[in-house]
Amino acid sequence: MNVILLKSNDSSTSDRYVDYLDAQHSPLLNNIEQINLLKFNYQNLELLKSKLFILLLEKTNYEHYVDEYFKCLILTSRQTVESMQHALNLTIDSSTNLPTVNLNTQLENIKDKFLVYCVGEATASRFRQLVQSIEKINPGLNQRLVLRLVDDSTKTMHKQNARELFNLIKQDYELIKPSLKPTGQKFKYALYPCSKIRKDDLSKSLSDNAISYEEINVYDTVPSQTGIDKLTASLDKLDGVNILVFFSPSGCESVFKDKNLSTLIKSKLNLFKMVSIGPSTSVKLKNYVDASLIYELSEPSPKALWNSILTISNQIC
C-alpha cells in the first residue's frame, strides 16, 4: 500500500505522522509520502500587531491592557500562531519539540493575567515556542499569561474541537465576569485571530452568549499548484492501493476541484481509500466520494492513522 499524507506544513521539517509510520517498519507500506497541497497567505498583520504589541512586547503599561483592550486570546490553529509570528517579525526556533518555557494553566490570581485558549496541543506547543522567542526581548512575559486547554477528562475522541474549546471559554468567563472592570470603551473580552474561511461555530457561540470579541482574519488558505502537480505525478506512477490522508476540508477541495487530479482518482477509484483526520474533513470528503471509501480517525494522532491503515489492510486482504 502507498500512503500519501496531504498536508500544508513545510516538507523540510520532520512530520510526526511520517516518522511514526516509518518507525513501524511494516511490509504493508510500500511508499510513504507527504505532499503539501495548501499554502497560507497572511493578511491584516499590521492590524494584528497593533492589537498585540502592548501585551507581548511593551514592557510598560501592561497592567492596563487587560482592562482597556482584551482579557483573552483565542487560537484555533498553528497558522494563527504563525500569523502572530509574522506580524511581530519574530523567528521561532522549532528545533525542539519540547519548549522550555512553562506557562501557568490554572485560574488562580488572574486579575492581571491574560488568558490564552488553544484548540489543541499542537497549537499550544507552537504558542509556547512563540513566547520563548518573545522572552528574549521581553523577559517575564510567561508570568503574565495563563494557557488554557480542554482537559483530557472532558475531551471527546476528536480533541481539537471548537465546541469543547468554547465550553471552556464560557466556563472561565462565568467565573471571571464578576471581577471584570473594563476601563476602555474599546474593551472586548476576547481577541480572535482566525482563518478567512473559518467555520461559524465558535463566533456564533460567543455572540449567542454575549461574550464580546474582536475577530481578525489573519490568513487565507489556498491550493498549492506545486503540490497538486506533485500528487498527480505520484499517483500516475504508483501501483497498488493508495491511501490518501486528508488533514482538512481545504485539502479535500484542493484535490477534487482540480479537474485532472479528480479525473485520475475517479478513473481508478477501486485503488483508493480516503482517510480523514476528523468529522469536518469527512463531511467535505463525502461531497466527492462514497462514504464507504472514507475512514475517519478515532483521534488526530499518528497511532490512530496506523490503526486505520491496519483496518484497511485487513479489509482488502
Side-chain angles (χ1 to χ4, degrees):
M1 292 188 295
N2 308 300
V3 179
I4 303 179
L5 296 95
L6 305 175
K7 304 194 76 178
S8 57
N9 54 303
D10 185 355
S11 59
S12 65
T13 61
S14 176
D15 181 88
R16 64 191 183 114
Y17 288 86
V18 173
D19 291 345
Y20 189 92
L21 295 182
D22 280 336
Q24 305 311 307
H25 303 293
S26 173
L28 291 174
L29 305 178
N30 299 325
N31 180 65
I32 304 169
E33 186 175 7
Q34 176 191 331
I35 295 179
N36 299 329
L37 280 185
L38 303 170
K39 59 183 180 179
F40 302 103
N41 292 335
Y42 294 100
Q43 55 191 283
N44 296 322
L45 296 186
E46 284 300 318
L47 177 60
L48 181 62
K49 180 179 179 179
S50 72
K51 304 295 182 182
L52 293 172
F53 186 85
I54 295 176
L55 170 69
L56 300 179
L57 297 178
E58 185 66 65
K59 297 180 181 179
T60 60
N61 296 324
Y62 165 78
E63 61 272 17
H64 302 300
Y65 187 88
V66 293
D67 293 327
E68 294 185 14
Y69 298 99
F70 304 99
K71 180 62 177 177
C72 72
L73 176 67
I74 302 173
L75 302 174
T76 55
S77 70
R78 281 172 55 99
Q79 286 69 46
T80 305
V81 182
E82 287 166 11
S83 73
M84 294 167 58
Q85 172 196 343
H86 289 295
L88 299 171
N89 196 27
L90 295 170
T91 300
I92 293 180
D93 181 5
S94 56
S95 58
T96 174
N97 291 324
L98 296 172
T100 57
V101 64
N102 293 313
L103 295 177
N104 180 33
T105 60
Q106 303 302 314
L107 290 183
E108 298 174 354
N109 302 318
I110 61 167
K111 180 179 182 299
D112 296 324
K113 299 290 179 67
F114 187 78
L115 282 63
V116 180
Y117 293 91
C118 291
V119 75
E121 184 52 48
T123 302
S125 176
R126 194 64 172 171
F127 180 73
R128 291 189 193 99
Q129 291 174 339
L130 177 64
V131 172
Q132 192 174 39
S133 296
I134 296 173
E135 287 220 316
K136 295 175 182 177
I137 54 178
N138 189 9
L141 173 65
N142 65 317
Q143 301 301 317
R144 305 173 178 176
L145 306 175
V146 176
L147 181 64
R148 298 291 284 163
L149 283 156
V150 177
D151 186 80
D152 283 334
S153 63
T154 61
K155 286 177 180 177
T156 62
M157 295 175 72
H158 290 281
K159 299 177 183 178
Q160 298 184 33
N161 188 291
R163 181 182 304 167
E164 289 169 343
L165 184 66
F166 168 73
N167 288 340
L168 177 61
I169 294 170
K170 182 182 178 184
Q171 169 190 300
D172 290 354
Y173 178 72
E174 295 301 329
L175 290 173
I176 296 169
K177 184 178 178 181
S179 64
L180 288 176
K181 294 180 173 56
T183 59
Q185 293 183 344
K186 296 181 180 179
F187 178 84
K188 303 287 185 184
Y189 182 71
L191 176 62
Y192 178 28
C194 58
S195 166
K196 185 178 179 180
I197 57 171
R198 63 105 178 100
K199 296 194 297 182
D200 293 334
D201 307 36
L202 184 54
S203 297
K204 185 176 186 304
S205 295
L206 291 169
S207 297
D208 288 349
N209 287 270
I211 299 176
S212 62
Y213 69 97
E214 181 172 344
E215 178 179 315
I216 305 176
N217 297 142
V218 292
Y219 70 93
D220 194 14
T221 306
V222 296
S224 166
Q225 192 57 50
T226 300
I228 295 295
D229 293 342
K230 184 177 180 181
L231 177 58
T232 303
S234 292
L235 294 181
D236 261 335
K237 66 183 182 183
L238 290 175
D239 295 321
V241 174
N242 299 301
I243 299 177
L244 301 182
V245 186
F246 291 88
F247 287 81
S248 69
S250 298
C252 304
E253 290 185 342
S254 296
V255 169
F256 290 102
K257 286 190 175 181
D258 182 88
K259 184 177 180 180
N260 293 334
L261 189 50
S262 180
T263 300
L264 174 61
I265 293 172
K266 291 182 178 180
S267 68
K268 303 177 181 179
L269 207 51
N270 61 312
L271 297 179
F272 286 93
K273 301 294 183 183
M274 316 293 170
V275 173
S276 154
I277 193 72
S280 297
T281 303
S282 294
V283 169
K284 182 63 70 172
L285 267 176
K286 289 173 184 176
N287 292 334
Y288 303 110
V289 298
D290 190 82
S292 64
L293 297 176
I294 301 170
Y295 297 77
E296 185 177 300
L297 299 190
S298 61
E299 64 174 13
S301 72
K303 184 177 180 180
L305 173 58
W306 175 237
N307 288 337
S308 284
I309 291 171
L310 293 177
T311 297
I312 293 170
S313 175
N314 290 333
Q315 290 180 353
I316 65 177
C317 288

